[in-house]
Amino acid sequence: MIKAAVMSDTHNVLRPDVTEILKECDCIIHAGDLSKPAILEQLNRIAPVYAVRGNNDKEWAGDLPQELRFSLGWMRFYLVHNKKDAKLGEELPHAVIFGHSHRYLEERKDGVLWLNPGSCGRRRFDLPVTMAVLEITEDRYQVKRIDFPAASKE
């Protein structure tokens, strides 16, 4: 089994409760808006990271791609920050992961999983603080939504 943490829009915050979940995962998928290189460095110390550049990732993130295709086990992934920028091509992925809106979304369209893990940095726009964990076995996958309590000073 492959266990992947799926996150986005951390905006320079790596919460301790999020870090504990990351430590249990084989890899980390980040759909952009890390905001500072220190967050990417911290994530890379925990597990291998698949990440794309978000609209708040400035000059430091020049080496991060705007979109990324990769596989974990049998699953093909397409990663992009903003869903409207997705260019899927002819060979559809099994999953499209994106962020930007800070809203958790999990839906299946034409056999493709569309997953926005929401934001697990500071709470914004009165939206819940969320991420996901994706478990991939030999022939299936399962998505687990994780909700975090907002800190009292957020």
Side-chain angles (χ1 to χ4, degrees), residues 91-108:
E91 185 180 10
L92 289 180
H94 295 107
V96 175
I97 297 175
F98 60 99
H100 187 62
S101 72
H102 296 234
R103 291 183 190 279
Y104 188 95
L105 174 77
E106 179 185 336
E107 62 184 10
R108 286 151 186 84

Side-chain angles (χ1 to χ4, degrees), residues 67 69 78 85-93 96 112:
E67 60 182 352
R69 294 175 191 276
Y78 177 82
D85 296 328
K87 300 174 198 86
L88 298 185
E90 289 185 27
E91 185 180 10
L92 289 180
V96 175
V112 176

Side-chain angles (χ1 to χ4, degrees), residues 3-4 9 18-19 26 31 41-42 48 54 62 71-72 90 93-94 99 104 110 119 132:
K3 197 171 181 182
D9 297 278
V18 169
T19 301
D26 301 303
E41 292 165 12
Q42 284 179 277
S71 295
L72 295 174
E90 289 185 27
H94 295 107
Y104 188 95
D110 301 320
S119 172

Side-chain angles (χ1 to χ4, degrees), residues 5-91:
V6 184
M7 58 196 307
S8 187
D9 297 278
T10 47
H11 293 280
N12 204 31
V13 173
L14 191 53
R15 300 162 60 103
D17 44 0
V18 169
T19 301
E20 289 307 308
I21 292 166
L22 300 179
K23 289 177 183 176
E24 299 171 2
C25 294
D26 301 303
C27 64
I28 300 166
I29 302 169
H30 197 297
D33 276 359
L34 297 112
S35 296
K36 297 277 170 96
I39 297 297
L40 185 57
E41 292 165 12
Q42 284 179 277
L43 295 176
N44 274 310
R45 285 194 293 270
I46 297 170
V49 177
Y50 299 91
V52 292
R53 184 178 185 157
N55 60 297
N56 287 294
D57 296 323
K58 303 300 179 196
E59 295 79 28
W60 72 268
D63 290 339
L64 285 178
Q66 298 287 345
E67 60 182 352
L68 185 63
R69 294 175 191 276
F70 62 96
S71 295
L72 295 174
W74 58 270
M75 281 189 79
R76 293 184 313 275
F77 291 86
Y78 177 82
L79 179 62
V80 66
H81 180 62
N82 192 334
K83 182 180 178 180
K84 73 175 182 66
D85 296 328
K87 300 174 198 86
L88 298 185
E90 289 185 27
E91 185 180 10

Side-chain angles (χ1 to χ4, degrees), residues 122-141:
R122 286 185 191 87
R123 186 159 70 124
R124 298 180 69 180
F125 316 119
D126 291 325
L127 294 170
V129 177
T130 60
M131 66 175 286
V133 172
L134 180 65
E135 294 180 350
I136 304 165
T137 59
E138 282 185 25
D139 59 350
R140 65 185 62 193
Y141 66 86

